[in-house]
Amino acid sequence: MLGKGIESALINPSALVDKPWQASGETLNNIDHEAMAVDPALVLTIQAYVDAVLDLASHFITRLRRYASFCRTLASHAVTAGTSGNRSMVISPTTQSTGTPAPGATQG
């Protein structure tokens, strides 16, 4: 049960419009509407497929926005930390190069 448009494309591939989203209005208006009709039995299947693709795209865009927001927040904190003179840095204890124990250290 192929749609008439798919069936037409299989029988006559030269009737296909290359990149229909970029085709002119005149080109699209000259398409035989009867040849491009979709079999009514396929409408529900196609609609379910389109809905699933749109749900997936919506989910992806939502995640992408959250990630972009996270990146902006992270960059903002990095800039703020870089411009303020009060940085939190871990400073390792200094060791004496003479090999003698530091004052207050006990030898065992």
Side-chain angles (χ1 to χ4, degrees), residues 18-89:
D18 187 41
K19 298 182 182 176
W21 55 91
Q22 293 179 346
S24 68
E26 181 180 342
T27 301
L28 295 176
N29 284 332
N30 289 333
I31 296 174
D32 179 19
H33 298 288
E34 184 61 28
M36 293 295 124
V38 175
D39 190 337
L42 291 176
V43 170
L44 291 177
T45 304
I46 292 170
Q47 187 62 49
Y49 176 76
V50 169
D51 288 345
V53 169
L54 291 176
D55 285 346
L56 184 61
S58 175
H59 179 75
F60 176 75
I61 289 170
T62 300
R63 297 290 179 191
L64 192 61
R65 285 181 178 159
R66 287 181 184 168
Y67 180 69
S69 175
F70 168 75
C71 289
R72 282 192 300 272
T73 302
L74 194 62
S76 173
H77 287 305
V79 168
T80 303
T83 57
S84 69
N86 187 10
R87 293 186 185 177
S88 298
M89 296 177 64

